[in-house]
Amino acid sequence: MFENYSEVVVLLVKALQHELTVEEEARVRAWREECEENEALYAKVMSSDFMKMKTEQRERVDAVSAYMQVKKCCKKRLRVRKWRRVSVVAASVLLLWGVWFYSGTEFLPSGDVLTEEGAEIIASGSKAELILSDGECVILGKGQLDSVWMHEGMEVHSTEERVSYVGERQCGEDSLSVELQYNILRVPRGGEYSVVLGDGTLVCLNSESELRYPVRFDGEERQVFLRGEGYFEVTKDPDHPFVVEVENARIEVLGTTFNVCSYEEEERVVTTLVEGMVRLSSENQSVVLIPNEQGILDKEGHLSKMEVDVFPYVAWQKGLFVFQQQPLERVMQVVSRWYDVEIVFRNEKTKKISFTGNMRRYSNFEQTVRMLEKTGGLIFNIEGRTIYITEK
């Protein structure tokens, strides 16, 4: 009926403004009658609660900032995802808020362009790409307007900072024959993003991280696959253990809060427990962690645990870098991932300089390196996105 989702969006915006022609009203009516999903979606958008929520969100949006983000995305030529089925296209309804929002916004003149020459190095914040089970890609993050669509029977909500799955999960023997459909949430350098899985579990991904997870948890275990760093708040379900597979390690939980760090260049898997209890396993070894304990699987395959102060390991969730007697090489690994810069040490000695301190993740990068210069007796030369470190 509709060739693409934009036709649905435009007509629903006109419906909100009571500007439909007789012919357009007939088209919208026919679309609503195509399936129950379309009718439910129409009712949701036209509700007073929806209107109130969107109006409040609109008041909080910086229109100029949003516009510049859109321009930036266009310059990068990000491919806009094409919807294959009309019923799924229609379900991407909340994109209409973008049309409604910008229809009342005065854009900047075409000649006003921000150049990157002399630009400050600032972390991008919320950004990610969602690879759906059919291979299609959705760009997520700052500048994105709220959207909702149906995928594999689940209602998917996405905002600037989070994507959430809403629906009923079926676990048990009857569902074992159902092939799991996996999505991949991929966060680039300089970004962060969160996902609420189908069971209600919250996973926050740090820079340069990836989570592969089923759209629905169908089976005895709730299994996901992590690369990089993630902070988990697992929904309790003793009958269906939650399992995180990472490199050569396996983390089993029933309901708990923990952080997992497994970047390839760090050559180890570090699991830090905040609440509950987890089992960290590798081959024929395993350790059980209780709150304020950390399990480490090193590059030689040795598994160990120790008691720690958990805050430095989860502080990134609070917008902080927290380092306690860490070598500068480790500090700059973390910092460079977040700001998406390359680090060059002029000599090996500087890599081993110990650093202790707290820094804000969202500060300008130059402020961060000036702080490191003062505390470590170092000189940082910034050339583009490459940082050269030497001793004073």
Side-chain angles (χ1 to χ4, degrees):
M1 178 178 178
F2 293 104
E3 292 185 2
N4 55 61
Y5 74 85
S6 61
E7 293 184 58
V8 181
V9 169
V10 171
L11 289 181
L12 289 177
V13 170
K14 294 184 72 174
L16 281 169
Q17 299 172 338
H18 305 288
E19 295 178 354
L20 289 175
T21 65
V22 174
E23 180 183 351
E24 289 169 340
E25 284 183 355
R27 296 187 70 195
V28 171
R29 190 181 308 113
W31 169 76
R32 292 167 58 186
E33 293 173 352
E34 278 185 354
C35 64
E36 293 181 0
E37 287 180 354
N38 291 356
E39 178 60 32
L41 209 51
Y42 178 84
K44 183 174 183 177
V45 171
M46 297 300 164
S47 70
S48 58
D49 288 342
F50 174 81
M51 297 287 286
K52 179 180 178 182
M53 176 185 69
K54 287 303 172 185
T55 300
E56 291 174 350
Q57 287 181 354
R58 178 177 181 176
E59 292 172 351
R60 295 195 297 266
V61 173
D62 179 346
V64 174
S65 175
Y67 169 67
M68 295 311 297
Q69 183 67 23
V70 171
K71 286 197 72 174
K72 182 179 179 181
C73 289
C74 290
K75 288 177 68 176
K76 291 182 178 179
R77 298 183 180 179
L78 293 176
R79 181 173 62 85
V80 177
R81 168 170 196 265
K82 296 181 180 179
W83 300 89
R84 293 182 178 178
R85 296 173 54 191
V86 172
S87 61
V88 178
V89 169
S92 63
V93 61
L94 294 190
L95 288 173
L96 68 89
W97 178 246
V99 179
W100 186 19
F101 174 80
Y102 285 115
S103 66
T105 301
E106 293 183 4
F107 289 117
L108 296 175
S110 60
D112 292 343
V113 179
L114 293 180
T115 64
E116 293 188 1
E117 185 175 350
E120 296 175 324
I121 298 176
I122 301 175
S124 301
S126 298
K127 63 178 180 178
E129 60 179 9
L130 178 62
I131 314 298
L132 300 182
S133 56
D134 60 6
E136 297 193 54
C137 177
V138 182
I139 303 302
L140 304 169
K142 284 187 176 179
Q144 174 206 323
L145 298 162
D146 294 2
S147 61
V148 173
W149 68 90
M150 299 299 297
H151 183 56
E152 302 295 339
M154 299 286 280
E155 188 174 294
V156 185
H157 299 241
S158 63
T159 67
E160 284 193 347
E161 299 177 346
R162 180 175 298 177
V163 61
S164 306
Y165 292 77
V166 181
E168 294 186 0
R169 174 171 62 88
Q170 297 178 349
C171 289
E173 296 180 359
D174 294 340
S175 62
L176 293 179
S177 61
V178 178
E179 182 179 356
L180 294 181
Q181 300 298 314
Y182 284 87
N183 286 353
I184 297 174
L185 184 63
R186 184 174 294 153
V187 178
R189 289 170 66 90
E192 61 183 353
Y193 207 76
S194 300
V195 56
V196 177
L197 304 177
D199 66 337
T201 292
L202 170 65
V203 186
C204 302
L205 293 180
N206 207 344
S207 302
E208 203 172 15
S209 299
E210 177 180 299
L211 185 73
R212 180 171 174 262
Y213 57 92
V215 178
R216 290 174 174 273
F217 286 107
D218 296 335
E220 296 302 319
E221 289 184 342
R222 296 171 288 162
Q223 186 180 43
V224 301
F225 301 83
L226 174 70
R227 182 184 63 81
E229 183 168 20
Y231 176 85
F232 292 77
E233 293 181 1
V234 179
T235 298
K236 292 183 180 180
D237 184 351
D239 295 329
H240 303 98
F242 192 93
V243 176
V244 182
E245 299 282 356
V246 49
E247 292 191 9
N248 299 321
R250 174 183 170 93
I251 303 160
E252 302 173 61
V253 305
L254 295 179
T256 190
T257 302
F258 61 100
N259 193 82
V260 181
C261 186
S262 62
Y263 289 108
E264 184 176 352
E265 64 270 22
E266 296 183 18
E267 299 183 323
R268 63 178 190 167
V269 176
V270 179
T271 302
T272 308
L273 186 63
V274 180
E275 295 178 359
M277 182 180 294
V278 303
R279 181 187 301 276
L280 174 61
S281 305
S282 178
E283 297 181 347
N284 298 322
Q285 313 170 75
S286 69
V287 294
V288 174
L289 304 180
I290 61 175
N292 300 313
E293 285 190 338
Q294 183 178 84
I296 301 173
L297 176 65
D298 63 25
K299 62 182 180 180
E300 283 80 28
H302 299 143
L303 189 58
S304 61
K305 72 173 182 177
M306 61 181 178
E307 187 173 346
V308 296
D309 174 7
V310 301
F311 182 68
Y313 301 95
V314 300
W316 64 273
Q317 274 288 290
K318 307 295 183 182
L320 294 171
F321 293 118
V322 177
F323 301 105
Q324 295 180 345
Q325 296 182 333
Q326 293 290 318
L328 186 61
E329 182 178 26
R330 161 65 180 161
V331 171
M332 296 314 298
Q333 275 183 338
V334 174
V335 171
S336 66
R337 246 188 326 257
W338 178 240
Y339 288 103
D340 190 16
V341 295
E342 297 300 321
I343 306 298
V344 177
F345 288 92
R346 293 296 194 185
N347 58 65
E348 291 296 313
K349 182 180 177 181
T350 55
K351 292 182 179 181
K352 298 178 174 60
I353 294 174
S354 180
F355 178 80
T356 296
N358 300 355
M359 299 179 289
R360 295 187 181 278
R361 269 165 67 94
Y362 295 96
S363 297
N364 178 280
F365 181 73
E366 189 167 350
Q367 295 174 354
T368 299
V369 297
R370 297 312 169 213
M371 176 182 174
L372 289 168
E373 280 185 334
K374 292 178 181 178
T375 58
L378 302 166
I379 297 175
F380 288 69
N381 293 318
I382 304 175
E383 298 181 12
R385 303 195 75 84
T386 302
I387 316 303
Y388 297 90
I389 304 176
T390 58
E391 288 185 289
K392 286 184 178 178

